[in-house]
Amino acid sequence: AQKVTQAQTEISVVEKEDVTLDCVYETRDTTYYLFWYKQPPSGELVFLIRRNSFDEQNEISGRYSWNFQKSTSSFNFTITASQVVDSAVYFCALSEASNFGNEKLTFGTGTRLTIIP
Amino acid sequence: AAGVIQSPRHLIKEKRETATLKCYPIPRHDTVYWYQQGPGQDPQFLISFYEKMQSDKGSIPDRFSAQQFSDYHSELNMSSLELGDSALYFCASSRGRGPHQPQHFGDGTRLSIL
Protein backbone atom coordinates (compact mmCIF):
# COMPACT_ATOMS: atom_id res chain seq x y z
CA ALA A 1 0.00 0.00 0.00
CA GLN A 2 1.15 3.51 -0.68
CA LYS A 3 2.11 5.79 2.15
CA VAL A 4 3.59 9.25 2.51
CA THR A 5 5.30 10.42 5.68
CA GLN A 6 6.06 13.99 6.55
CA ALA A 7 7.74 13.70 9.91
CA GLN A 8 7.96 17.43 10.50
CA THR A 9 4.63 18.57 11.82
CA GLU A 10 5.57 22.20 12.27
CA ILE A 11 8.61 24.27 11.37
CA SER A 12 9.34 27.91 12.17
CA VAL A 13 12.19 29.85 10.66
CA VAL A 14 13.14 33.49 10.54
CA GLU A 15 12.60 35.26 7.25
CA LYS A 16 15.42 34.87 4.71
CA GLU A 17 16.57 31.58 6.20
CA ASP A 18 16.56 28.45 4.07
CA VAL A 19 14.26 25.62 5.08
CA THR A 20 13.87 22.02 3.92
CA LEU A 21 10.66 20.05 4.20
CA ASP A 22 11.09 16.30 4.29
CA CYS A 23 8.93 13.72 2.52
CA VAL A 24 9.41 9.96 2.61
CA TYR A 25 7.19 7.63 0.64
CA GLU A 26 6.43 3.94 0.41
CA THR A 27 5.19 2.14 -2.68
CA ARG A 28 5.56 -1.24 -4.33
CA ASP A 29 5.16 0.21 -7.78
CA THR A 30 8.14 0.88 -9.99
CA THR A 31 6.25 3.67 -11.71
CA TYR A 32 4.78 6.37 -9.55
CA TYR A 33 4.42 10.11 -9.31
CA LEU A 34 5.22 12.50 -6.51
CA PHE A 35 3.69 15.90 -5.95
CA TRP A 36 3.99 18.87 -3.63
CA TYR A 37 1.03 21.09 -2.81
CA LYS A 38 0.87 24.30 -0.79
CA GLN A 39 -2.11 25.20 1.39
CA PRO A 40 -1.93 28.82 2.54
CA PRO A 41 -4.07 30.10 5.42
CA SER A 42 -6.84 30.94 2.96
CA GLY A 43 -7.31 27.19 2.51
CA GLU A 44 -6.89 26.45 -1.17
CA LEU A 45 -4.52 23.74 -2.38
CA VAL A 46 -1.95 24.96 -4.87
CA PHE A 47 -0.06 22.53 -7.11
CA LEU A 48 3.70 23.14 -6.99
CA ILE A 49 5.47 20.28 -8.73
CA ARG A 50 5.17 16.75 -10.15
CA ARG A 51 8.02 14.28 -10.41
CA ASN A 52 7.89 10.79 -11.97
CA SER A 53 9.83 7.86 -10.60
CA PHE A 54 12.12 7.66 -13.60
CA ASP A 55 13.38 11.20 -13.37
CA GLU A 56 15.75 11.76 -10.51
CA GLN A 57 16.96 15.11 -11.71
CA ASN A 58 16.66 17.77 -9.11
CA GLU A 59 14.55 20.72 -10.06
CA ILE A 60 14.79 24.39 -9.24
CA SER A 61 12.11 26.98 -9.72
CA GLY A 62 13.07 30.36 -8.37
CA ARG A 63 13.51 30.03 -4.62
CA TYR A 64 12.07 26.50 -4.65
CA SER A 65 14.05 23.35 -5.25
CA TRP A 66 13.26 19.67 -4.98
CA ASN A 67 15.58 16.76 -4.27
CA PHE A 68 14.30 13.35 -5.36
CA GLN A 69 16.30 10.32 -4.19
CA LYS A 70 14.91 6.88 -5.00
CA SER A 71 17.59 5.18 -2.92
CA THR A 72 16.11 6.70 0.23
CA SER A 73 12.51 7.05 -1.07
CA SER A 74 12.60 10.73 -0.37
CA PHE A 75 11.34 13.81 -2.17
CA ASN A 76 12.43 16.82 -0.16
CA PHE A 77 11.50 20.42 -0.78
CA THR A 78 13.77 23.36 -0.03
CA ILE A 79 12.80 27.00 0.10
CA THR A 80 15.71 29.37 -0.17
CA ALA A 81 15.62 32.85 1.37
CA SER A 82 12.20 32.24 2.86
CA GLN A 83 9.55 34.94 2.86
CA VAL A 84 6.48 35.52 5.00
CA VAL A 85 4.27 34.59 2.03
CA ASP A 86 5.77 31.10 2.18
CA SER A 87 3.91 30.49 5.44
CA ALA A 88 1.52 27.63 4.71
CA VAL A 89 0.93 23.95 5.17
CA TYR A 90 2.85 21.94 2.60
CA PHE A 91 1.67 18.51 1.52
CA CYS A 92 3.65 15.85 -0.25
CA ALA A 93 1.52 13.38 -2.24
CA LEU A 94 1.94 10.15 -4.21
CA SER A 95 0.03 8.39 -6.97
CA GLU A 96 0.80 4.95 -8.35
CA ALA A 97 0.67 3.76 -11.93
CA SER A 98 0.00 0.07 -11.31
CA ASN A 99 -3.72 0.47 -11.84
CA PHE A 100 -4.54 3.04 -14.46
CA GLY A 101 -7.98 3.59 -13.04
CA ASN A 102 -6.57 4.45 -9.67
CA GLU A 103 -5.65 8.09 -9.86
CA LYS A 104 -6.16 9.07 -6.28
CA LEU A 105 -3.54 11.10 -4.50
CA THR A 106 -2.30 9.84 -1.17
CA PHE A 107 -1.20 12.80 0.90
CA GLY A 108 1.19 13.06 3.78
CA THR A 109 -0.03 14.68 6.96
CA GLY A 110 1.51 17.99 5.97
CA THR A 111 4.13 20.30 7.43
CA ARG A 112 3.03 23.66 8.78
CA LEU A 113 5.69 26.20 7.90
CA THR A 114 5.75 29.53 9.66
CA ILE A 115 8.09 32.26 8.51
CA ILE A 116 8.79 34.76 11.25
CA PRO A 117 9.32 38.33 10.04
CA ALA B 1 -6.09 31.38 -16.06
CA ALA B 2 -9.41 29.82 -15.19
CA GLY B 3 -9.38 27.61 -12.13
CA VAL B 4 -11.63 25.02 -10.57
CA ILE B 5 -14.74 26.67 -9.18
CA GLN B 6 -16.56 25.26 -6.20
CA SER B 7 -19.82 26.41 -4.74
CA PRO B 8 -20.82 27.27 -2.19
CA ARG B 9 -17.67 28.37 -0.38
CA HIS B 10 -19.30 27.90 3.00
CA LEU B 11 -22.29 25.83 4.01
CA ILE B 12 -23.91 25.37 7.39
CA LYS B 13 -26.30 22.50 7.92
CA GLU B 14 -27.87 20.66 10.81
CA LYS B 15 -27.66 16.97 11.55
CA ARG B 16 -29.75 14.74 9.31
CA GLU B 17 -30.08 17.41 6.64
CA THR B 18 -28.84 17.07 3.07
CA ALA B 19 -26.26 19.09 1.18
CA THR B 20 -25.14 19.42 -2.42
CA LEU B 21 -21.70 20.66 -3.33
CA LYS B 22 -20.91 21.74 -6.87
CA CYS B 23 -17.68 21.72 -8.81
CA TYR B 24 -16.89 23.29 -12.18
CA PRO B 25 -13.60 22.00 -13.57
CA ILE B 26 -11.05 23.95 -15.53
CA PRO B 27 -12.19 24.24 -19.17
CA ARG B 28 -11.21 21.19 -21.24
CA HIS B 29 -10.56 19.14 -18.11
CA ASP B 30 -12.53 15.90 -18.28
CA THR B 31 -11.62 14.30 -14.95
CA VAL B 32 -12.94 15.38 -11.58
CA TYR B 33 -11.88 14.27 -8.10
CA TRP B 34 -13.44 14.86 -4.68
CA TYR B 35 -11.49 14.97 -1.44
CA GLN B 36 -12.47 15.52 2.18
CA GLN B 37 -10.13 17.32 4.58
CA GLY B 38 -10.99 17.20 8.27
CA PRO B 39 -9.62 19.80 10.68
CA GLY B 40 -5.85 19.53 10.91
CA GLN B 41 -5.81 16.51 8.61
CA ASP B 42 -4.62 15.71 5.13
CA PRO B 43 -7.10 15.46 2.26
CA GLN B 44 -8.71 12.05 1.84
CA PHE B 45 -9.84 10.84 -1.56
CA LEU B 46 -13.56 10.24 -1.93
CA ILE B 47 -14.38 9.58 -5.57
CA SER B 48 -13.41 10.50 -9.12
CA PHE B 49 -15.05 10.70 -12.54
CA TYR B 50 -13.70 10.54 -16.05
CA GLU B 51 -15.88 11.43 -19.03
CA LYS B 52 -18.99 11.31 -16.84
CA MET B 53 -18.29 7.78 -15.58
CA GLN B 54 -17.11 6.90 -12.10
CA SER B 55 -13.41 6.22 -12.30
CA ASP B 56 -12.23 5.42 -8.80
CA LYS B 57 -13.77 5.23 -5.36
CA GLY B 58 -12.18 5.85 -2.01
CA SER B 59 -13.52 6.16 1.49
CA ILE B 60 -16.82 7.71 0.54
CA PRO B 61 -19.72 6.95 2.91
CA ASP B 62 -22.82 5.29 1.47
CA ARG B 63 -24.74 8.42 2.49
CA PHE B 64 -22.79 10.35 -0.15
CA SER B 65 -23.25 10.12 -3.88
CA ALA B 66 -21.75 12.02 -6.76
CA GLN B 67 -22.00 12.36 -10.49
CA GLN B 68 -20.44 14.16 -13.39
CA PHE B 69 -22.70 15.84 -15.90
CA SER B 70 -22.49 16.30 -19.66
CA ASP B 71 -20.81 19.70 -19.24
CA TYR B 72 -18.22 17.98 -16.97
CA HIS B 73 -19.30 19.73 -13.82
CA SER B 74 -19.76 17.48 -10.83
CA GLU B 75 -22.00 17.44 -7.78
CA LEU B 76 -21.45 15.73 -4.45
CA ASN B 77 -24.69 14.91 -2.69
CA MET B 78 -24.59 14.27 1.02
CA SER B 79 -27.55 12.99 3.03
CA SER B 80 -28.27 12.29 6.69
CA LEU B 81 -25.47 14.63 7.63
CA GLU B 82 -23.51 13.87 10.77
CA LEU B 83 -21.30 16.04 12.95
CA GLY B 84 -18.29 14.15 11.63
CA ASP B 85 -19.02 15.34 8.11
CA SER B 86 -17.83 18.81 9.07
CA ALA B 87 -14.82 19.33 6.86
CA LEU B 88 -13.35 21.15 3.90
CA TYR B 89 -14.40 19.46 0.68
CA PHE B 90 -12.14 19.89 -2.29
CA CYS B 91 -12.81 19.26 -5.90
CA ALA B 92 -9.89 18.87 -8.29
CA SER B 93 -9.74 18.46 -12.04
CA SER B 94 -7.26 17.23 -14.59
CA ARG B 95 -7.08 16.99 -18.35
CA GLY B 96 -7.18 13.29 -19.06
CA ARG B 97 -6.88 10.57 -16.51
CA GLY B 98 -3.95 8.72 -15.05
CA PRO B 99 -1.73 8.98 -11.99
CA HIS B 100 0.67 11.30 -13.80
CA GLN B 101 -1.87 14.05 -14.27
CA PRO B 102 -1.48 16.99 -11.88
CA GLN B 103 -4.73 17.57 -10.08
CA HIS B 104 -5.68 21.22 -9.84
CA PHE B 105 -7.77 22.01 -6.81
CA GLY B 106 -10.55 24.47 -6.20
CA ASP B 107 -10.75 26.67 -3.12
CA GLY B 108 -12.93 24.12 -1.34
CA THR B 109 -16.34 24.17 0.32
CA ARG B 110 -16.25 24.43 4.08
CA LEU B 111 -19.15 22.41 5.45
CA SER B 112 -20.15 22.88 9.06
CA ILE B 113 -22.69 20.62 10.71
CA LEU B 114 -24.43 22.00 13.79
Side-chain angles (χ1 to χ4, degrees), chain A residues 33 35 37 39 42-45 47 50 91 95-97 100-105 107-109, chain B residues 33 35 37 41-43 45 48 55-56 88 90 97-107:
Chain A
Y33 300 85
F35 304 81
Y37 284 85
Q39 187 172 39
S42 48
E44 70 272 24
L45 276 168
F47 166 73
R50 176 195 64 194
F91 289 98
S95 65
E96 295 174 327
F100 191 74
N102 178 12
E103 298 106 355
K104 71 172 185 179
L105 286 173
F107 287 85
T109 50
Chain B
Y33 314 79
Y35 290 82
Q37 185 179 27
Q41 298 180 0
D42 54 290
F45 173 74
S48 62
S55 176
D56 194 10
L88 188 55
F90 284 107
R97 59 186 303 204
H100 61 291
Q101 297 289 0
Q103 296 178 23
H104 298 272
F105 286 76
D107 289 345

Side-chain angles (χ1 to χ4, degrees), chain A residues 2-103:
Chain A
Q2 58 197 48
K3 183 179 179 182
V4 177
T5 301
Q6 295 178 254
Q8 304 152 307
T9 306
E10 296 190 30
I11 299 176
S12 295
V13 300
V14 177
E15 195 173 18
K16 298 183 183 175
E17 287 186 350
D18 299 347
V19 59
T20 296
L21 310 182
D22 298 333
C23 172
V24 174
Y25 61 91
E26 294 177 29
T27 177
R28 286 177 287 194
D29 275 25
T30 55
T31 302
Y32 51 89
Y33 300 85
L34 294 163
F35 304 81
W36 275 95
Y37 284 85
K38 173 182 180 181
Q39 187 172 39
S42 48
E44 70 272 24
L45 276 168
V46 179
F47 166 73
L48 295 178
I49 190 172
R50 176 195 64 194
R51 172 66 67 212
N52 74 57
S53 53
F54 296 108
D55 182 2
E56 289 195 70
Q57 258 191 329
N58 291 331
E59 181 156 342
I60 298 175
S61 176
R63 297 183 297 107
Y64 295 171
S65 62
W66 291 268
N67 184 336
F68 175 37
Q69 291 195 338
K70 286 182 74 171
S71 60
T72 55
S73 296
S74 65
F75 186 42
N76 297 336
F77 173 29
T78 297
I79 301 175
T80 303
S82 60
Q83 300 176 3
V84 173
V85 293
D86 296 326
S87 295
V89 179
Y90 290 85
F91 289 98
C92 181
L94 167 72
S95 65
E96 295 174 327
S98 58
N99 181 356
F100 191 74
N102 178 12
E103 298 106 355

